[in-house]
Amino acid sequence: DAALGRRREASHGAGTGYVPGGVYEYRTTLDAPEEYRDRRVLLEFEGVYRTAMIYVNGSLAGHRATGYTGFTVDLDDHLRYGADNEIRVVCRTHDDSRWYSGAGIHRPVHLVVGSLTHIALDGVVVTTEDVDAEFAVVEVATTVEHDGRGLARLDVRTEIRDGNGTVVASATSPVTVLPGEPAVVRHRISVAGPALWSPDSPALYEASVSLQDSGTAVDDDVVSFGIRTLHLDPERGLRINGEPVTLRGA
């Protein structure tokens, strides 16, 4: 957070925590080896406050107006492979907040390097649909993206693991993806004798998704989730797994 070391004064106003505003700049050097040439290379920013402009070797590669939501910047068209690359982030604060919002890069930044055909970022969504004491139906929706040429034909394998890491259910489906047209693979998987998540017993499972080409994994992702039912109505309030849960201070 670029504002943490700055001197606080009352004249700057309570809305920013008495911290002065300004323009901030970050620089770093990224070594891009030759093998990145046939890969997808992204920078994932979890939060930059605000009006972020991202430059790669002097060229504008991406921008983001808001300061709280995450975004990604595609580096592929700007990198010099087999050489060092300058990454520069320029951002500025605005007098538009009712609380201390910080300044600059206030959340983590990730370098994402993947194959041309890959699972989309945050591309695995888990929903617990039908749940009872004997069985639970878990839907795992996986978005697959293809940035190469021609059709890509692969397999998507989903494994559900319990809290001990044991595979309790699985499913595999083929997927065909066109360049620039993401495909969604939905697996409806039955889990026997599910350990239900609740505030008193927060049991968790993992959905492990692997994108495979002729049996070789080219990308994977893991999402933690709880198997539970949620109901909310004005008569009985919030119920988790059929049991009422009192919310205080909401």
Side-chain angles (χ1 to χ4, degrees):
D1 186 335
L4 288 179
R6 305 204 61 185
R7 181 180 178 85
R8 287 179 165 86
E9 295 182 2
S11 61
H12 300 309
T16 61
Y18 307 109
V19 175
V23 178
Y24 302 95
E25 181 174 311
Y26 296 77
R27 292 175 184 261
T28 192
T29 300
L30 172 65
D31 175 24
E34 281 292 338
E35 53 262 33
Y36 280 11
R37 190 180 298 274
D38 296 321
R39 310 279 281 176
R40 291 282 282 125
V41 184
L42 308 172
L43 278 180
E44 181 184 16
F45 294 86
E46 292 190 17
V48 183
Y49 189 85
R50 116 168 166 50
T51 317
M53 310 288 285
I54 292 84
Y55 298 87
V56 181
N57 298 322
S59 298
L60 180 64
H63 60 88
R64 187 72 159 191
T66 182
Y68 304 110
T69 55
F71 62 99
T72 60
V73 176
D74 187 342
L75 304 186
D76 292 333
D77 293 335
H78 306 279
L79 290 178
R80 294 193 294 258
Y81 300 103
D84 288 339
N85 297 264
E86 182 193 61
I87 311 295
R88 187 163 61 98
V89 178
V90 180
C91 51
R92 67 181 66 240
T93 58
H94 296 263
D95 188 15
D96 60 358
S97 183
R98 293 178 294 152
W99 56 83
Y100 173 71
S101 54
I105 300 176
H106 61 95
R107 293 179 184 150
V109 184
H110 308 278
L111 177 66
V112 181
V113 181
S115 62
L116 295 179
T117 308
H118 53 270
I119 299 171
L121 285 178
D122 299 321
V124 177
V125 178
V126 181
T127 307
T128 54
E129 297 188 340
D130 300 320
V131 179
D132 59 36
E134 295 183 358
F135 289 97
V137 176
V138 178
E139 180 179 281
V140 182
T142 302
T143 300
V144 180
E145 297 177 337
H146 177 43
D147 296 312
R149 295 182 178 180
L151 285 174
R153 295 181 176 87
L154 303 98
D155 292 317
V156 175
R157 178 167 178 79
T158 301
E159 294 181 342
I160 305 297
R161 302 177 185 270
D162 62 16
N164 297 320
T166 302
V167 177
V168 296
S170 64
T172 302
S173 298
V175 61
T176 300
V177 196
L178 288 168
E181 297 184 14
V184 178
V185 176
R186 300 183 186 276
H187 284 153
R188 290 173 57 87
I189 303 174
S190 179
V191 177
L196 302 186
W197 183 97
S198 72
D200 296 327
S201 179
L204 289 179
Y205 288 80
E206 284 187 344
S208 177
V209 180
S210 176
L211 185 62
Q212 301 181 349
D213 184 4
S214 301
T216 301
V218 297
D219 199 7
D220 57 74
D221 198 2
V222 178
V223 173
S224 296
F225 68 98
I227 296 178
R228 77 289 181 270
T229 61
L230 297 176
H231 296 91
L232 184 65
D233 64 68
E235 298 298 328
R236 290 169 291 186
L238 172 65
R239 289 175 295 150
I240 300 178
N241 301 324
E243 297 295 327
V245 176
T246 301
L247 296 180
R248 294 181 173 87

